Amino acid sequence: MRLLLRLTALTVALLATLTSPVSLADAAGTKEPVARPSASARGFKHPGVLVSKAQLDRLRKRVKGREWRSSFAAMRHSRYGSLGYHATPVRVVECPPDDRPGYGCVEERQDAIAAYTQALLWYITRDRAHARKAVQIMDAWSAVLRDHTEGNAGLQAAWAGSSWARAGEIMRHTYGGWPRHRVRRFAGMLRTVYLREVTVTAPDYNGNWDLAMTDAAMGISVFLDDRRGFNRAVRRFRARVPAYFYLKSDGPLPKRPPGGHIRTPDRIREYWFGQRRFVNGLGQETCRNFTHIGYSLAATAHIAETAWHQGLDLYGEAGKRMRAALTLHARYQLGADVPHWLCGGNLDLDMGPDTEVALNHFRNRRGIAMPQAQRVAQRLRDEGTDDLFVAWEALTHAKNR
């Protein structure tokens, strides 16, 4: 009898997660599809992966104003926003860590960003053609993809998986035209193809791996209403961020990567690309290049932002490190003289559009002035996307609390 009751409860919970979206009348009297939260989803707020419903609603209004008109036009007229966009799914994505050509790597990342772009365009414009295109792209991949292979499998799955989760979250909870069996298939893809890759530990790899993988794991967990997965991502964030962005309170050396084999002072310095002097805000990959620092700043902010929408303030826990890192790297990105003690006096300055989410929190929610970081963000806004896992964040997050 107890087994029967448990099976019955599980069946009810499963059916609840498959509840179809319903249409409610908006203020103008037109029908706009919105989703009814399922019983198992009540612990999560939806949409709530990187962008919240409140932010999406403000986004719909702000694109009509002059300040954001050009950013919206850039997104809408990008290749990702075209209604003629065609997905090119493959069964196995092969991404080597070296110069060997991959198979499906660029296509997967671009298709995931296209799905997210189309989802944003759907929400902003209410043009169902964009909704159908977003769903079409996601359905194409969920029907075909089975695995990631080669040395960059985890990172590739992280980049694409984070964008898929954002796209799927918007469409599942705001659009009534995505068939339930296709939603289930997409969810199965995220769970079996992506989550298994992005939850593998990578303690001895450069830290942008762990952070990007945690970004994807958290977004996917929210989409799947997976509280355990969400909590695992939180634990991983709490362990990795202090080992990536240095503060003087850590002591004379940075914290060791959790769970790895980098333990001695010499190994730690080697892991930090030969750096021997550590200052507030320095990152594990500062002396590698600012491109990877940008990836890490973006992923850290994505994780904190998604957690924020779910009622957990990871910004409060990691904020001092994040602000110090934003300030330090912005200073040199803007052209400050590089001292010889810092990476031998040579920095590879190529940060992308990676700071908008963090800046929005610290400047607009918390009222903390960060002028140098703001100048860098404004300079890089025209890039729009890095074609990996960052897309349109000036539009979605700048001045959007």
Side-chain angles (χ1 to χ4, degrees), residues 56-346:
L56 288 168
D57 288 340
R58 286 191 289 270
L59 180 57
R60 284 192 72 192
K61 297 177 181 178
R62 74 191 304 187
V63 297
K64 300 174 183 177
R66 179 175 299 177
E67 183 177 2
W68 302 106
R69 192 177 299 161
S70 62
S71 295
F72 176 63
M75 179 177 75
R76 190 170 199 172
H77 298 303
S78 70
R79 57 181 169 168
Y80 299 121
S82 170
L83 289 173
Y85 191 96
H86 291 289
T88 53
V90 300
R91 183 178 179 83
V92 178
V93 177
E94 303 171 9
C95 302
D98 47 38
D99 293 335
R100 287 175 293 153
Y103 179 69
C105 308
V106 174
E107 293 83 358
E108 181 188 31
R109 296 192 302 265
Q110 291 182 347
D111 285 359
I113 290 175
Y116 177 53
T117 303
Q118 297 285 343
L120 289 173
L121 287 169
W122 142 248
Y123 199 91
I124 294 168
T125 67
R126 288 304 194 259
D127 183 344
R128 296 177 73 86
H130 288 297
R132 290 191 294 269
K133 180 57 66 174
V135 168
Q136 182 186 84
I137 296 168
M138 291 187 286
D139 286 348
W141 276 87
S142 67
V144 174
L145 182 65
R146 295 295 179 268
D147 201 6
H148 295 85
T149 64
E150 298 289 346
N152 272 358
L155 187 59
Q156 170 73 18
W159 284 338
S162 60
S163 296
W164 288 132
R166 294 164 203 159
E169 181 78 354
I170 292 172
M171 299 313 300
R172 186 180 193 179
H173 296 283
T174 71
Y175 174 60
W178 196 4
R180 285 181 292 175
H181 71 283
R182 297 288 176 81
V183 175
R184 290 197 299 271
R185 190 176 72 189
F186 182 77
M189 178 187 74
L190 291 185
R191 184 180 295 281
T192 61
V193 181
Y194 288 92
L195 202 57
R196 73 183 182 194
E197 290 286 354
V198 300
T199 53
V200 173
T201 58
D204 295 334
Y205 285 47
N206 286 308
N208 76 87
W209 276 64
D210 251 359
L211 293 169
M213 292 164 79
T214 305
D215 179 9
M218 178 172 282
I220 291 170
S221 295
V222 171
F223 178 84
L224 296 174
D225 299 318
D226 182 351
R227 179 58 64 177
R228 287 186 178 180
F230 180 88
N231 290 341
R232 284 195 296 269
V234 170
R235 290 194 294 271
R236 194 170 183 178
F237 174 93
R238 286 170 169 163
R240 173 54 83 168
V241 172
Y244 190 90
F245 297 113
Y246 175 81
L247 287 178
K248 288 183 178 180
S249 57
D250 297 334
L253 290 173
K255 293 179 179 292
R256 298 179 300 182
H261 298 90
I262 300 170
R263 297 170 182 169
T264 67
D266 286 343
R267 288 291 307 278
I268 291 173
R269 294 187 184 100
E270 179 184 358
Y271 183 58
W272 284 64
F273 292 86
Q275 181 65 16
R276 304 190 68 83
R277 178 177 170 183
F278 300 95
V279 296
N280 283 341
L282 195 73
Q284 182 255 315
E285 294 176 278
T286 299
C287 294
R288 181 186 186 187
N289 56 56
F290 277 29
T291 300
H292 286 85
I293 284 290
Y295 297 161
S296 298
L297 285 169
T300 300
H302 293 168
I303 299 161
E305 186 75 2
T306 296
W308 176 268
H309 297 319
Q310 304 307 327
L312 176 64
D313 185 9
L314 293 180
Y315 283 117
E317 298 180 24
K320 188 174 181 180
R321 293 180 191 276
M322 294 174 70
R323 293 194 303 273
L326 285 165
T327 299
L328 177 76
H329 293 91
R331 181 188 313 143
Y332 296 111
Q333 186 73 33
L334 291 171
D337 290 337
V338 182
H340 183 73
W341 60 262
L342 178 59
C343 309
N346 296 303

Side-chain angles (χ1 to χ4, degrees), residues 19-32:
T19 302
S20 60
V22 296
S23 294
L24 299 178
D26 66 7
T30 59
K31 296 288 185 178
E32 297 292 358

